[in-house]
Amino acid sequence: KAGVTQTPRYLIKTRGQQVTLSCSPISGHRSVSWYQQTPGQGLQFLFEYFSETQRNKGNFPGRFSGRQFSNSRSEMNVSTLELGDSALYLCASSFNTGELFFGEGSRLTVL
Amino acid sequence: DAKTTQPPSMDCAEGRAANLPCNHSTISGNEYVYWYRQIHSQGPQYIIHGLKNNETNEMASLIITEDRKSSTLILPHATLRDTAVYYCIDGSGGYNKLIFGAGTRLAVHP
């Protein structure tokens, strides 16, 4: 079956802009979580959605937001981009167990 | 912050077993131990998880000590494609919230 699909794979933005990233989970998975990966901080949890409700949130500023649709697809948005937001953003889906299936990520570069 | 500790790097010869240790001394009684790995430029890949019994699947074996304060991931016959960063994670985050540490960078060499 198809894996987790993230779009776009690569994007370049400038400071102050906003960005929206999309994630399509594996069919049947209702949990979608987002992670940020940077060389300095490693993999950090952003938030997790289950059945359109945010169940858990990491320690990121309010500029980072997300949502989940009724078909379990999810989007995350980062507003007022800063240079430090340059990162690989990873989405993972799950059947609501600890076995997460990750996508290949969206690599964001902020100039 | 991550609640597990792992050696930063390890080496293994191709064809030999790779034994990756992890300490999770603060794990609670109902929290699982998860292992993931990340091959360069790819998303993390689930390997195995366990609660208190040893587990085995097609990828690896997981040995958890009786006091549950540590575990070992065993790749029985390492190949070059097993070169990756391996993460040991306890289930303290809850609800699919994985708290990653720095992991162990495993290098498999010919």
Side-chain angles (χ1 to χ4, degrees), chain A residues 31 35 37 48 97-98 100 102, chain B residues 34 36 38 44 93 95-96 98:
Chain A
S31 168
Y35 292 79
Q37 186 169 30
E48 189 248 356
T97 67
L100 272 58
F102 284 82
Chain B
Y34 302 92
Y36 283 76
Q38 187 173 27
Y95 285 140
N96 297 328
L98 301 180

Side-chain angles (χ1 to χ4, degrees), chain A residues 31 33 35 37 43 45 48 55-57 90 94 96-100 102-104, chain B residues 34 36 38 41-46 49 87 93-101:
Chain A
S31 168
S33 50
Y35 292 79
Q37 186 169 30
L43 277 157
F45 173 81
E48 189 248 356
R55 280 201 304 196
N56 220 331
K57 190 176 187 304
L90 291 156
S94 171
N96 201 33
T97 67
E99 184 178 351
L100 272 58
F102 284 82
E104 295 189 4
Chain B
Y34 302 92
Y36 283 76
Q38 187 173 27
S41 298
Q42 298 181 18
Q45 176 190 23
Y46 166 83
H49 73 281
Y87 298 98
Y95 285 140
N96 297 328
K97 177 183 177 181
L98 301 180
I99 302 173
F100 288 86

Side-chain angles (χ1 to χ4, degrees), chain B residues 26-55:
Chain B
T26 62
I27 195 169
S28 298
N30 61 347
E31 291 172 352
Y32 284 79
V33 177
Y34 302 92
W35 282 84
Y36 283 76
R37 72 180 182 183
Q38 187 173 27
I39 297 170
H40 183 62
S41 298
Q42 298 181 18
Q45 176 190 23
Y46 166 83
I47 301 174
I48 198 168
H49 73 281
L51 185 62
K52 54 183 177 181
N53 298 318
N54 298 338
E55 302 287 345

Side-chain angles (χ1 to χ4, degrees), chain A residues 22-35:
Chain A
S22 179
C23 173
S24 293
I26 291 172
S27 178
H29 287 188
R30 293 165 65 188
S31 168
V32 174
S33 50
W34 289 88
Y35 292 79

Side-chain angles (χ1 to χ4, degrees), chain A residues 9 11 21 35-39 42 46 60 64 82-90 105-110:
Chain A
R9 290 290 314 280
L11 64 166
L21 308 177
Y35 292 79
Q36 180 197 64
Q37 186 169 30
T38 60
L46 280 158
F60 279 82
F64 292 81
E82 302 176 358
L83 295 179
D85 297 332
S86 294
L88 180 66
Y89 290 89
L90 291 156
S106 293
R107 185 166 296 280
L108 170 66
T109 301
V110 181

Side-chain angles (χ1 to χ4, degrees), chain A residues 57-102:
Chain A
K57 190 176 187 304
N59 295 324
F60 279 82
R63 300 185 297 105
F64 292 81
S65 63
R67 60 177 175 170
Q68 186 181 33
F69 302 97
S70 58
N71 61 358
S72 293
R73 191 177 68 85
S74 177
E75 289 180 348
M76 68 162 285
N77 183 277
V78 187
S79 62
T80 318
L81 284 166
E82 302 176 358
L83 295 179
D85 297 332
S86 294
L88 180 66
Y89 290 89
L90 291 156
C91 167
S93 73
S94 171
F95 269 125
N96 201 33
T97 67
E99 184 178 351
L100 272 58
F101 294 82
F102 284 82

